[in-house]
């Protein structure tokens, strides 16, 4: 169910452009995400009665998991893209969850009163925003005293793979250039603790975890979605329209992904940094 949300005074708005968009190749990875594989560092802090805000909820798979974990509480999932929220609502409906709602929101200017939520969660969000420190301050504002702000972001420069591939090196260089041209920071993971300190947090638990893709099925899935994303997503459009790559160069990167995916000894690891910040009571 959706409902109007209370308004707060106008604040700074988002200035960055979301690099990936919502092409099927992007949603292929987003719908794979669960609370277990993407928010494990937070789960031990959850209580059944909690009220949670899930920022950048996308298709709502993590949001739905969080709602199931707080049966006596409530979860609000928000995203800047109205079109993706219909998929999030369908995700919650399929699971017959009645304690979750969705709304359009900007992390820099959340339409909620101070001290509203027990937990504010954001997965793979700060790497895409124009002012991550300001976003953390806004997340802190809407968190209740004693509550938690939980943030997890990957770090592209720390991603690693085997065997060596000049094509994947080209992919990494290209992606980082496109993301930064869009106003984001692809190496956000290593910066999370620093950003939290600058946002005024003092009670910060910093951890890390990985996704690893190595089996034939994992390699085929991971390489396939990036091969397709490189040619058909909003990222591909921004790479060419921004003058960062030609179509021929994108095709070469896409084929490098498929070639890596066919390697029996292929291995890829995605490092994520995590911060769990407690708001002073």
């Amino acid at each position: 169910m959706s409902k109007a949300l209370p308004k707060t005074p106008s604040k700074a708005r988002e200035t960055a452009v979301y690099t990936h968009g919502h092409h099927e190749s992007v949603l292929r990875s987003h719908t794979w995400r669960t609370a277990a594989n993407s928010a494990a560092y937070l789960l031990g802090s959850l209580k059944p009665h909690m009220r949670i805000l899930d920022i950048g909820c996308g298709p709502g798979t993590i949001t739905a998991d969080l709602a199931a974990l707080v049966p006596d509480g409530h979860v609000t999932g928000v995203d800047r893209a109205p079109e993706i929220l219909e998929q999030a609502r369908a995700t919650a409906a399929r699971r017959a969850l009645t304690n979750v709602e969705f709304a359009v929101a900007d992390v820099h200017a959340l339409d909620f009163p101070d001290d509203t939520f027990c937990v504010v969660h954001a997965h793979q969000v700060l790497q895409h925003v124009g002012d991550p420190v300001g976003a953390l301050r806004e997340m802190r504002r809407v968190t209740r005293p004693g509550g938690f702000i939980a943030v997890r972001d990957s770090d592209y420069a720390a991603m690693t793979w085997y065997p060596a591939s000049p094509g994947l090196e080209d992919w990494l260089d290209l992606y980082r250039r496109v993301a930064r041209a869009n106003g984001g920071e692809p190496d956000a993971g290593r910066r999370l603790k620093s950003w939290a300190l600058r946002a005024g947090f003092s009670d910060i638990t910093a951890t890390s975890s990985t996704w690893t893709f190595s089996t034939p099925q994992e390699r085929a899935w991971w390489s396939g979605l990036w091969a397709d994303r490189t040619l058909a997503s909003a990222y591909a459009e921004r790479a060419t329209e921004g003058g960062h790559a030609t179509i021929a160069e994108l095709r070469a990167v896409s084929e490098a992904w498929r070639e890596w995916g066919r390697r029996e000894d292929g291995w890829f690891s995605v490092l994520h940094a995590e911060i769990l910040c407690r708001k002073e009571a």
Side-chain angles (χ1 to χ4, degrees):
M1 178 182 293
S2 299
K3 62 182 180 181
L5 299 171
K7 299 291 184 180
T8 55
S10 178
K11 302 178 182 66
R13 295 284 172 173
E14 178 62 276
T15 57
V17 175
Y18 179 49
T19 296
H20 297 288
H22 294 98
H23 183 264
E24 182 278 331
S25 60
V26 177
L27 295 180
R28 205 182 308 164
S29 62
H30 289 188
T31 55
W32 167 82
R33 298 172 183 174
T34 65
N37 68 28
S38 299
Y41 71 105
L42 166 64
L43 302 188
S45 299
L46 297 184
K47 306 297 181 186
H49 68 277
M50 283 182 160
R51 187 174 183 185
I52 300 173
L53 176 64
D54 187 22
I55 295 173
C57 66
T61 51
I62 298 176
T63 319
D65 282 353
L66 294 175
L69 292 168
V70 292
D72 302 322
H74 187 272
V75 178
T76 301
V78 298
D79 202 284
R80 289 188 66 212
E83 65 275 11
I84 198 60
L85 294 180
E86 289 307 312
Q87 185 165 338
R89 293 183 183 102
T91 298
R94 281 194 300 271
R95 296 181 58 174
L97 295 165
T98 59
N99 63 334
V100 61
E101 65 178 339
F102 298 93
V104 176
D106 178 349
V107 68
H108 294 95
L110 296 169
D111 291 331
F112 302 100
D114 295 357
D115 306 337
T116 298
F117 298 97
C118 305
V119 175
V120 176
H121 169 261
H123 184 262
Q124 312 290 19
V125 171
L126 292 191
Q127 64 185 278
H128 297 295
V129 306
D131 181 7
V133 174
L136 282 164
R137 290 186 182 125
E138 183 68 349
M139 294 165 70
R140 179 181 179 177
R141 179 186 68 78
V142 300
T143 302
R144 295 174 180 172
F148 296 96
I149 295 87
V151 176
R152 185 176 193 250
D153 268 276
S154 58
D155 192 298
Y156 275 76
M159 294 183 188
T160 190
W161 58 83
Y162 187 86
S165 166
L168 292 193
E169 294 288 350
D170 290 343
W171 159 76
L172 181 58
D173 174 69
L174 174 63
Y175 180 83
R176 293 170 78 209
R177 285 190 283 114
V178 172
R180 287 182 174 135
N182 288 338
E185 176 44 71
D187 303 339
R190 68 189 65 192
R191 292 169 165 83
L192 292 186
K193 183 179 179 182
S194 176
W195 287 341
L197 289 167
R198 288 167 57 193
F201 290 102
S202 57
D203 188 345
I204 306 168
T205 300
T207 55
S208 63
S209 59
T210 61
W211 293 335
T212 301
F213 306 100
S214 179
T215 69
Q217 296 79 14
E218 290 167 347
R219 293 195 314 272
W221 180 77
W222 185 245
S223 65
L225 68 86
W226 269 108
D228 292 344
R229 191 181 303 190
T230 298
L231 292 178
S233 69
Y235 156 64
E237 295 173 5
R238 286 160 187 152
T240 54
E241 292 173 2
H244 305 289
T246 65
I247 294 295
E249 288 168 335
L250 291 183
R251 286 178 181 147
V253 168
S254 178
E255 179 52 36
W257 270 113
R258 295 196 186 279
E259 181 180 352
W260 172 84
R262 292 189 289 266
R263 290 290 301 252
E264 183 179 2
D265 57 350
W267 177 91
F268 198 106
S269 185
V270 179
L271 176 70
H272 298 88
E274 304 145 350
I275 53 170
L276 190 62
C277 307
R278 188 155 196 153
K279 183 174 178 178
E280 296 83 351

